[in-house]
């Protein structure tokens, strides 16, 4: 059964029209094309980053070194003409190295704030799990409240403000596991995979030189992202799709209602933040495809990235080699699609 074919058309009283979406999303394809001048493949990764920008969310990128995670983020920032900062997380990093600190002026005998690199539009927290919990917690206020407190004063972060964190899934020596409270603040957890042989051949042709061409032109202004966000919020979502989202999140907490053998594999399901983020990301995905309504396929496409860091596995699941992606896939296969 084709879920999109059976979905009713947008509500006639919807506050946004398809013409509005077409006009507001005109920047999407030029931006993808400009990024593709430098980046080979990784189209899904680029779309996930755009979804984060459109929903004011953060992204956790997981992949082995050398998959162009940093290059992707830097290229996106250059195409947006946005301020970009890269922070290399290490075991000796201090919270002040991230958010800033108060600096004493001996001539005037006063303290003045020195803002840290977190004050940027796109912040790349490279190898975030190599810093201890004290440093990771310095990002919590910034990620959730879009502000930083230094001393007794609070400073508002730029808009948009998106944290793009990376971690290596293989090398666990000298790393610190991200706490669940911080993981839940990431809108998406995206797994970056190896390129196909055809894509890798293009990488070889384009990058196997001592001076590869990594220059791109700014194609949109930051303000256009803010304007698009307001339209994303107004994209129509049918009640059946909302119920479908709730059923997925509820099944992650009580999987025995869907399939009995998952009951002992899940230690903790997704929080209500997962429900909210799945709805927002689905709307943004519809916007990227120039639609003024959400389909169940939008929800199914985003569910793994929304849930893979929010579902906690039991010891039994880890012993059996079951992953969160396996759990999400089984839930999506068992739940009825509207």
């Amino acid at each position: 059964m084709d879920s999109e074919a059976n979905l009713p058309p947008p509500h006639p009283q919807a506050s946004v029209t398809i013409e509005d979406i077409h006009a507001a999303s005109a920047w999407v394809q030029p931006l993808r094309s400009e990024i593709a001048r430098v980046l080979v493949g990784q189209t899904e990764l680029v779309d996930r980053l755009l979804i984060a920008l459109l929903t004011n969310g953060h992204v956790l990128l997981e992949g082995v070194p050398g998959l162009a995670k940093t290059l992707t983020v830097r290229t996106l920032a250059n195409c947006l003409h946005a301020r970009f900062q890269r922070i290399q997380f290490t075991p000796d990093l201090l919270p002040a190295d991230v958010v800033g600190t108060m600096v004493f002026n001996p001539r005037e005998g006063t303290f003045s704030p020195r803002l840290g690199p977190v004050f940027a539009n796109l912040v790349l927290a490279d190898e975030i799990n190599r810093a201890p919990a004290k440093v990771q917690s310095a990002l919590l206020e910034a990620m959730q409240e879009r502000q930083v407190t230094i001393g007794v004063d609070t400073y508002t972060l730029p808009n948009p403000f998106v944290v793009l964190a990376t971690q290596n899934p293989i090398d666990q020596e000298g790393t610190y596991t991200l706490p669940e409270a911080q993981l839940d603040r990431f809108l998406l957890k995206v797994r970056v995979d190896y390129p196909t042989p055809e894509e890798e051949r293009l990488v070889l042709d384009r990058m196997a030189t001592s001076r590869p061409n990594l220059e791109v032109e700014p194609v949109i202004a930051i303000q256009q992202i803010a304007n698009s966000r307001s339209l994303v919020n107004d994209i129509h979502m049918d009640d059946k799709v909302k119920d479908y989202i709730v059923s997925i999140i509820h099944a992650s907490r009580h999987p025995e209602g869907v399939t009995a053998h998952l009951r002992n594999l899940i230690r903790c399901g997704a929080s209500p933040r997962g429900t909210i983020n799945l709805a927002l990301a689905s709307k943004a995905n519809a916007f990227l495809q120039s639609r003024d309504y959400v389909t169940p396929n939008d929800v199914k496409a985003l569910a793994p990235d929304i849930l893979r860091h929010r579902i906690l596995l039991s010891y039994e699941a880890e012993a059996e080699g079951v992953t969160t992606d396996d759990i999400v896939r089984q839930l999506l296969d068992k739940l009825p699609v509207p």
Side-chain angles (χ1 to χ4, degrees):
M1 180 180 296
D2 188 347
S3 57
E4 292 194 19
N6 290 279
L7 189 72
H11 196 279
Q13 296 182 351
S15 57
V16 61
T17 65
I18 189 64
E19 290 77 15
D20 296 331
I21 297 297
H22 279 303
S25 62
W27 55 266
V28 173
Q29 193 53 48
L31 179 58
R32 286 170 173 161
S33 300
E34 189 67 18
I35 293 175
R37 290 178 52 195
V38 171
L39 195 68
V40 176
Q42 303 292 10
T43 55
E44 184 175 298
L45 170 59
V46 172
D47 281 354
R48 295 303 186 263
L49 297 182
L50 296 182
I51 287 173
L53 283 170
L54 289 169
T55 58
N56 208 25
H58 310 291
V59 181
L60 178 61
L61 305 175
E62 186 176 82
V64 299
L67 296 182
K69 297 185 294 294
T70 302
L71 177 62
T72 302
V73 177
R74 186 185 299 275
T75 303
L76 175 61
N78 291 338
C79 289
L80 297 175
H81 202 61
R83 187 181 178 193
F84 169 74
Q85 288 284 0
R86 177 181 179 273
I87 308 173
Q88 182 63 54
F89 278 61
T90 57
D92 60 347
L93 198 69
L94 298 175
D97 298 327
V98 176
V99 299
T101 187
M102 301 297 292
V103 178
F104 180 69
N105 187 334
R107 179 176 298 178
E108 300 180 2
T110 59
F111 285 91
S112 59
R114 176 173 293 177
L115 303 182
V118 75
F119 285 85
N121 299 117
L122 296 179
V123 177
L124 177 63
D126 212 359
E127 295 188 287
I128 188 173
N129 57 336
R130 291 202 174 277
K134 180 183 292 187
V135 180
Q136 294 177 12
S137 64
L139 280 176
L140 291 179
E141 181 185 12
M143 293 173 66
Q144 185 65 28
E145 308 297 336
R146 262 67 182 183
Q147 66 183 28
V148 167
T149 301
I150 303 176
V152 297
D153 296 319
T154 300
Y155 303 88
T156 303
L157 291 164
N159 184 30
F161 169 73
V162 176
V163 174
L164 305 166
T166 69
Q167 65 179 13
N168 184 347
I170 299 176
D171 185 8
Q172 299 302 318
E173 184 177 353
T175 63
Y176 302 82
T177 303
L178 296 181
E180 285 76 10
Q182 185 169 6
L183 282 174
D184 202 36
R185 282 170 168 81
F186 285 101
L187 172 77
L188 305 166
K189 180 181 179 181
V190 181
R191 289 199 169 139
V192 185
D193 207 351
Y194 289 109
T196 65
E198 294 78 14
E199 291 172 343
E200 195 150 5
R201 175 57 192 271
L202 289 175
V203 172
L204 188 153
D205 292 338
R206 189 177 299 182
M207 299 295 181
T209 172
S210 59
R211 298 184 63 181
N213 183 14
L214 304 179
E215 297 297 325
V216 292
E217 297 293 331
V219 293
I220 67 168
I222 288 293
Q223 187 58 38
Q224 288 181 265
I225 299 292
N227 295 340
S228 297
R229 281 180 182 172
S230 61
L231 283 179
V232 169
N233 293 332
D234 293 333
I235 285 180
H236 177 72
M237 180 176 287
D238 190 80
D239 287 341
K240 293 181 179 179
V241 177
K242 294 179 182 179
D243 293 339
Y244 182 50
I245 291 174
V246 172
S247 69
I248 294 173
I249 302 300
H250 183 77
S252 74
R253 303 169 191 161
H254 306 284
E256 64 276 4
V258 179
T259 175
H261 79 279
L262 292 180
R263 180 178 57 187
N264 298 325
L265 302 181
I266 298 178
R267 179 160 53 97
C268 184
S271 71
R273 191 181 279 132
T275 308
I276 296 169
N277 288 343
L278 184 52
L280 282 174
S282 298
K283 288 185 176 184
N285 195 55
F287 178 88
L288 292 180
Q289 299 181 34
S290 298
R291 274 190 279 105
D292 59 346
Y293 61 96
V294 177
T295 72
N297 285 345
D298 292 318
V299 177
K300 294 181 72 172
L302 273 300
D305 295 327
I306 294 287
L307 297 178
R308 66 166 51 103
H309 56 300
R310 291 186 165 91
I311 295 178
L312 304 183
L313 300 178
S314 66
Y315 292 112
E316 182 178 339
E318 294 176 359
E320 294 180 6
V322 176
T323 66
T324 51
D325 283 6
D326 297 330
I327 299 290
V328 174
R329 183 167 54 251
Q330 292 184 55
L331 292 177
L332 293 177
D333 289 342
K334 295 291 184 179
L335 289 170
V337 179

